[in-house]
Amino acid sequence: MTVTDNPTGGIIGQARLRKEDPALLTGEAKFMDDLVLPGALWVNCVRSPHAHATIDNIDTTAALAVEGVTAVYTGADLAEDWAGPLPCAWPVTDDMKSPDYWPVAQGKVCHVGDIVAVVVADSRYVAADGAEGVVVDYSLLPAVISIEDAESDQVVIHEGLGTNVSYEWPLIPDPEGVEAAFANATHHVTETYVHQRLIPAPMEPRGVAAVPAPHNGDMILYSSTQIPHILKVMAALTVGIPEHKMRVIAPAVGGGFGCKLGVYPEEILCLALAVRHGVPVRWTEGRTEAATATIQGRAQRQTIELAADENGKLLAVRATLLADMGAYFQLITPGVPLLGAFLFHGLYDVPLYSFTCKSVFTNLTPTDAYRGAGRPEATYAIERAMDVLALAVGVEPDEIRSLNFIPTEKFPYDSPAGLVFDSGDYQPALDRAKELINWEERRAEQAERQAAGSKMHLGLGISTYVEMCGLAPSRVLASLNYGAGGWESATVRILPTCKIQVVTGATPHGQGHETAWSMIVADRLGVDPDDVEVLHSDTAISPLGLDTYGSRSLSVGGTAIWMATERVVEKASLIAAHMLEANADDLELTNGVFNVKGTPGAEVPLAEVAFAAFTAHDLPEGLEPNLQAEVTWDPPNFTFPFGAHIALVEIDEETGEVEIIDYAAVDDCGNQVNPMIVEGQVHGGIVQGIGQALWEEAIYDEDGQCRSTNLGDYLVPSAAETIDMKLDYTVTPSPTNPLGVKGIGEAGTIASTPAVMNAVVDALRHLGVTEMAMPASPMRVRRSIENAQGGAV
Amino acid sequence: MEISLTVNGDTQSADVEPRTLLVHFLRDQLGLTGTNIGCDTSSCGACTILVDGQSAKSCNLLAVQADGAEITTIEGLAGADGLHPMQQAFHESHALQCGYCTPGMVMASISLVEEYPNLDADGVREGLEGNLCRCTGYQNIVKAVLSVKK
């Protein structure tokens, strides 16, 4: 790894072990279901077994007869408990069609898993018993399952909207130019890809508890959420609890991957029921329940067209999406495709660009953000299409990419979609990835096997990617109609004994914020990172924040921490100057000691300054007696991490099984605060993306029943199918923040899916296979081979 | 039903409903919430504990089946002298992120290494197939387990 422009001295850049680990390794950490809440009532949700039906009658008699059941509520019973429907924060167009989404269905159900009644009981087992006793009569309606059926409007799910089409969102800066480019192109590639629905499946399912204080009106909402701050505002508005009386706490959160970036019915329900009953009300999701109760990811059909000249130089890219919103809008459902809208030309220098997205409702679980959210979809389309273009031109897949990379000298690069890519240097990453995978030798081995008539086929697949993360400049979000900003907040506080408290609004759920934030602060102050405590995930302690998603925490939240630290140092230097009878401008802070530049011996430790700030006996005139600073940072731009991944797969022609043999990843996330954490993010991201390529799919039948509701049927990768990956990095700092960082949380997932799928097609191309849908299961692989060879083989 | 068992070295006697899952007994009745629940089909392994020295998924046993058993949960590993070698290895190899699968993964790994001391990386991968992790991509978990083996 080449480190350039590291802004600091010492601690930043070290592979430092995580301070989060001891609590998690010993069972000391408290996850949602671990909380002990005396007197709490348990909720069990009665969910629709049908995708589309009217509710004719709900008989709660048997449920209420169960000993220990306190109450049973239907949608009608609770209709007056809501100040409004569940919120959608991203009305992407002014005329977007948006159905009311109530915590408990009223009159009809729109997907399997829709809540039709809730049972409240004195234990989780009794609540489940009660739910068994709720009898619901339904009249079935035809279910709209495919996006094509949805688009046809033959059955309209939300009658009041008059159509299943929610919105159309075009981004076509130069329509005539695009048309002309395609008219004049030597090569015109048209590809259609489907992103199957994915179940996010963090290892901890969701969970909620609402703890009321009926007499003073306070309400604490505990939730396994990525977004306590956003949840506080939204839940207050939805239930009608004054925001200043609401406190949201995210305990230890066992992964999120986007699916805990919501305002869910169960959160709102527990709040309303806690108000009704005046005691704590809690709910813990079951895994099977989660399959249809928690949002799903991806779910779109893409058509991508490339116009290129005779050498394969791109002239224009046109992407057309049909996106499946599911039955309702969750918090940012409509905006997810837009997070990819700017990136369908990938990291290639393309003068002309066209993107259109049409979104439809179906009778399936709502979709929303899932690791990468929009960017994996965009990357998949362009990266698979680039392989097809390479084939059309007659060059290798690495050559077509190198030919089209945005030249390094063009940065900052004005993209055809209207973004400014901050920095990039793409070729070295690809060169290094080829080296790690032994590209030439593997190509030769592949050819040998083919020549020998082997039934074990090798395939090499490249994916080069750029993503936009560091969500996000608030003004850009405004232009996209997003209902909030993209800033992040930090407070840095030096305590009297020179221990440090850091308060962050970026809410972790496994990433290692406590370790990374401590390193940033310790690096600047010259203290031990173990002397820094990071406080988070509780809106009473960290009132300002916009939480964690979109690889934003370091580049936005980390920058806020850096700036707040700088500000504290500035103030401390005024006190130190006073103590040293020197000019603050002449001081520097090195290894925790202020010294007067050029005057050896004229120094005072930060610890003494901290204590002086506390006693306030002799501070400079007019200086407030504290050493703390709060910064809210609104980034001027996104950041644009990039990289090159190459997968080597082996496919058994007889069984259709795809095995990953080797994997090389070269990522560039700018400067790294903790390379160990970066590596972990890349590992996990890659495997999650491979999961989409080879194994994962929320399988629905024609009635809208999910057939992959548990972890036996929904194939989250295990250790047995995965391999050790080869990682390396290039370092191209971002010029948009003082740390020069970009973000790495989603890169692996964005890159690996197309790398693996390109490898699968590469392995089978000599058999005539040109297309492959995801996941590339043994059955799909066998069918593709059979189809290519004109029937059974 | 009355049951009596040893948990992390302490004798416990309790009255349990016959249908109570062992994992719920440990968590809700004994307050040992380190053992997590990640699924309801014994697929994920988050609830793995040691029953008479062997790894078992505690969501797949009834509390009454553990009558007379000697049980170790994640809370029973670390002592005054610090973390268990497997916990330490997970820490040093960055083999955990969100940490939800970790207690089960650590217990399964201890049992695996105990039973098969000479496993290579592929063997570790096969041996941990019943324990899912969504964060780490397993590479560092395998590394951690192999480091303990040595």
Side-chain angles (χ1 to χ4, degrees):
Chain A
M1 188 176 85
T2 325
V3 177
T4 54
D5 294 350
N6 194 319
T8 60
I11 296 167
I12 289 182
Q14 288 180 5
R16 198 180 164 81
L17 298 182
R18 297 199 323 167
K19 54 169 64 178
E20 289 86 347
D21 291 356
L24 295 166
L25 279 162
T26 54
E28 218 168 76
K30 295 296 174 215
F31 292 95
M32 192 58 232
D33 194 68
D34 302 344
L35 302 182
V36 176
L37 301 169
L41 294 172
W42 285 85
V43 163
N44 194 295
C45 299
V46 179
R47 297 181 183 275
S48 170
H50 304 297
H52 198 194
T54 53
I55 302 166
D56 298 335
N57 187 52
I58 301 177
D59 183 350
T60 61
T61 318
L64 286 166
V66 174
E67 192 184 337
V69 168
T70 307
V72 181
Y73 299 103
T74 66
D77 296 334
L78 297 174
E80 300 304 316
D81 286 35
W82 324 121
L86 288 162
C88 171
W90 204 338
V92 296
T93 61
D94 292 338
D95 60 353
M96 181 183 87
K97 302 260 192 317
S98 185
D100 285 348
Y101 181 14
W102 300 105
V104 183
Q106 297 181 8
K108 72 180 275 191
V109 291
C110 292
H111 69 92
V112 171
D114 226 351
I115 301 172
V116 292
V118 285
V119 176
V120 183
D122 59 14
S123 81
R124 67 172 103 216
Y125 280 40
V126 173
D129 291 342
E132 289 293 314
V134 175
V135 180
V136 186
D137 295 333
Y138 297 95
S139 292
L140 300 194
L141 299 166
V144 181
I145 306 307
S146 76
I147 44 179
E148 292 78 11
D149 284 350
E151 190 186 16
S152 77
D153 272 342
Q154 284 179 346
V155 174
V156 173
I157 297 166
H158 303 289
E159 297 89 344
L161 304 181
T163 174
N164 296 322
V165 177
S166 172
Y167 68 84
E168 290 188 57
W169 196 90
L171 173 65
I172 314 173
D174 180 1
E176 291 88 18
V178 172
E179 291 300 329
F182 276 98
N184 298 324
T186 307
H187 298 286
H188 183 162
V189 168
T190 305
E191 289 281 293
T192 298
Y193 305 119
V194 173
H195 279 264
Q196 75 272 35
R197 277 177 168 259
L198 299 179
I199 295 176
M203 292 317 301
E204 183 205 26
R206 291 184 298 120
V208 186
V211 179
H215 298 292
N216 81 356
D218 286 351
M219 178 70 80
I220 303 175
L221 178 65
Y222 296 90
S223 181
S224 176
T225 180
Q226 297 173 225
I227 55 162
H229 298 90
I230 297 172
L231 178 59
K232 177 171 75 98
V233 178
M234 294 298 178
L237 290 172
T238 307
V239 187
I241 295 171
E243 187 191 346
H244 66 294
K245 303 301 272 182
M246 277 272 292
R247 173 181 177 189
V248 178
I249 299 174
V253 175
F257 311 111
C259 81
K260 294 177 181 172
L261 199 186
V263 177
Y264 276 98
E266 298 85 358
E267 290 167 325
I268 302 304
L269 263 172
C270 284
L271 283 171
L273 296 173
V275 170
R276 275 185 177 248
H277 290 267
V279 296
V281 173
R282 68 189 303 180
W283 168 81
T284 297
E285 187 178 52
R287 176 64 62 189
T288 301
E289 184 178 27
T292 55
T294 291
I295 65 96
Q296 298 177 352
R298 311 287 188 258
Q300 60 177 238
R301 194 191 68 199
Q302 334 171 294
T303 299
I304 183 163
E305 297 169 82
L306 310 181
D309 70 13
E310 67 278 12
N311 300 317
K313 184 83 185 74
L314 289 169
L315 304 171
V317 171
R318 179 160 55 203
T320 313
L321 305 192
L322 189 55
D324 177 358
M325 305 282 97
Y328 309 104
F329 286 145
Q330 245 294 349
L331 191 62
I332 63 162
T333 303
V336 171
L338 272 54
L339 290 169
F342 303 88
L343 291 178
F344 276 81
H345 68 91
L347 65 185
Y348 307 116
D349 187 15
V350 182
L352 292 156
Y353 186 70
S354 168
F355 171 89
T356 316
C357 178
K358 182 192 275 192
S359 288
V360 296
F361 297 109
T362 57
N363 286 121
L364 302 175
T365 290
T367 57
D368 204 288
Y370 173 61
R371 200 170 192 173
R375 291 151 291 162
E377 293 91 319
T379 305
Y380 185 79
I382 182 67
E383 286 307 288
R384 288 207 58 193
M386 286 302 276
D387 268 25
V388 177
L389 178 62
L391 206 64
V393 178
V395 297
E396 278 276 50
D398 59 316
E399 293 172 312
I400 199 78
R401 286 170 169 81
S402 297
L403 175 72
N404 284 288
F405 281 152
I406 298 164
T408 307
E409 61 273 16
K410 277 201 176 184
F411 288 93
Y413 173 74
D414 290 314
S415 93
L419 298 175
V420 180
F421 288 16
D422 57 352
S423 60
D425 187 9
Y426 300 149
Q427 189 62 42
L430 178 56
D431 291 342
R432 179 69 182 129
K434 283 177 62 186
E435 210 172 277
L436 286 173
I437 205 88
N438 293 316
W439 179 270
E440 304 300 338
E441 291 85 340
R442 294 305 200 172
R443 266 285 188 247
E445 191 183 341
Q446 180 186 36
E448 280 166 26
R449 287 202 195 184
Q450 289 175 12
S454 167
K455 298 281 189 191
M456 300 294 284
H457 307 291
L458 285 181
L460 280 160
I462 298 178
S463 160
T464 51
Y465 74 93
V466 63
E467 59 155 327
M468 52 187 263
C469 60
L471 304 180
S474 297
R475 284 166 187 268
V476 176
L477 292 177
S479 73
L480 294 172
N481 263 14
Y482 181 63
W487 45 264
E488 194 47 81
S489 161
T491 300
V492 173
R493 186 179 295 139
I494 302 181
L495 303 177
T497 58
C498 206
K499 307 297 181 189
I500 318 297
Q501 266 185 349
V502 175
V503 182
T504 179
T507 305
H509 38 284
Q511 295 87 348
H513 290 28
E514 291 177 17
T515 301
W517 287 192
S518 299
M519 291 171 68
I520 292 171
V521 175
D523 185 286
R524 181 66 186 98
L525 296 182
V527 302
D528 188 325
D530 287 340
D531 286 340
V532 183
E533 189 69 11
V534 179
L535 307 176
H536 55 79
S537 305
D538 178 343
T539 61
I541 292 169
S542 147
L544 283 176
L546 286 172
D547 306 311
T548 291
Y549 41 85
S551 304
R552 70 188 301 271
S553 288
L554 179 56
S555 66
V556 189
T559 296
I561 303 254
W562 173 257
M563 294 170 84
T565 310
E566 280 294 329
R567 217 170 273 181
V568 169
V569 170
E570 276 169 36
K571 182 162 182 188
S573 71
L574 295 177
I575 300 171
H578 185 68
M579 294 167 82
L580 292 167
E581 296 181 350
N583 190 327
D585 293 340
D586 295 335
L587 296 187
E588 61 185 4
L589 176 62
T590 312
N591 296 325
V593 177
F594 280 105
N595 52 70
V596 181
K597 281 178 264 184
T599 311
E603 59 182 39
V604 57
L606 179 62
E608 283 184 27
V609 176
F611 202 72
F614 167 65
T615 62
H617 292 170
D618 182 20
L619 295 180
E621 197 58 38
L623 205 69
E624 285 181 38
N626 67 53
L627 268 185
Q628 68 174 24
E630 177 173 328
V631 166
T632 301
W633 158 255
D634 199 344
N637 191 4
F638 297 95
T639 57
F640 295 84
F642 60 88
H645 288 211
I646 304 180
L648 176 72
V649 302
E650 183 178 66
I651 300 181
D652 183 336
E653 185 181 326
E654 303 290 339
T655 65
E657 190 184 2
V658 180
E659 196 177 339
I660 308 271
I661 300 295
D662 202 359
Y663 196 99
V666 180
D667 294 281
D668 192 321
C669 56
N671 290 326
Q672 300 186 5
V673 172
N674 185 331
M676 181 194 78
I677 289 178
V678 170
E679 180 192 76
Q681 289 292 321
V682 175
H683 282 163
I686 289 171
V687 167
Q688 210 157 353
I690 294 174
Q692 176 176 11
L694 296 183
W695 305 298
E696 294 183 35
E697 179 175 25
I699 301 166
Y700 279 92
D701 69 14
E702 59 196 13
D703 296 325
Q705 294 292 337
C706 188
R707 297 297 186 195
S708 51
T709 56
N710 63 62
L711 294 171
D713 295 329
Y714 186 84
L715 303 178
V716 166
S718 84
E721 301 88 54
T722 49
I723 60 163
D724 279 5
M725 300 154 267
K726 297 169 180 163
L727 309 191
D728 204 352
Y729 307 93
T730 60
V731 178
T732 310
S734 172
T736 61
N737 62 67
L739 289 167
V741 296
K742 291 195 167 184
I744 195 65
E746 297 157 301
T749 308
I750 289 168
S752 67
T753 310
V756 170
M757 290 304 291
N758 279 339
V760 169
V761 175
D762 184 63
L764 302 175
R765 192 173 284 121
H766 66 292
L767 301 178
V769 172
T770 56
E771 53 189 302
M772 182 72 65
M774 295 187 289
S777 61
M779 186 177 75
R780 277 211 179 84
V781 169
R782 279 296 309 156
R783 281 193 181 155
S784 296
I785 294 170
E786 288 168 17
N787 289 341
Q789 301 187 343
V793 286
Chain B
M1 286 177 71
E2 285 290 330
I3 59 169
S4 177
L5 66 173
T6 307
V7 181
N8 299 331
D10 296 332
T11 306
Q12 302 278 357
S13 294
D15 187 18
V16 298
E17 222 185 319
R19 63 174 174 169
T20 305
L21 296 174
L22 178 56
V23 67
H24 280 139
F25 171 71
L26 293 170
R27 290 175 52 82
D28 296 347
Q29 281 186 251
L30 299 188
L32 296 170
T33 55
T35 303
N36 293 323
I37 302 173
C39 74
D40 38 27
T41 50
S42 68
S43 307
C44 81
C47 64
T48 305
I49 59 171
L50 301 184
V51 178
D52 296 328
Q54 290 212 316
S55 64
K57 293 181 176 179
S58 60
C59 74
N60 212 22
L61 288 167
L62 297 169
V64 293
Q65 289 175 285
D67 188 27
E70 193 171 311
I71 282 173
T72 308
T73 69
I74 193 73
E75 289 91 345
L77 293 186
D81 50 347
L83 298 177
H84 181 283
M86 189 63 77
Q87 291 171 313
Q88 187 64 29
F90 269 59
H91 178 48
E92 288 173 9
S93 300
H94 187 34
L96 65 152
Q97 291 180 30
C98 83
Y100 196 77
C101 76
T102 304
M105 196 69 82
V106 166
M107 301 312 281
S109 299
I110 289 171
S111 171
L112 183 68
V113 167
E114 181 84 7
E115 196 172 353
Y116 303 101
N118 297 314
L119 286 180
D120 60 5
D122 285 346
V124 171
R125 286 181 175 279
E126 291 295 333
L128 293 178
E129 191 177 10
N131 288 73
L132 297 177
C133 168
R134 195 57 151 166
C135 296
T136 65
Y138 302 103
Q139 188 158 335
N140 287 343
I141 292 175
V142 175
K143 189 167 131 191
V145 177
L146 289 174
S147 78
V148 170
K149 195 173 70 76
K150 285 168 198 158

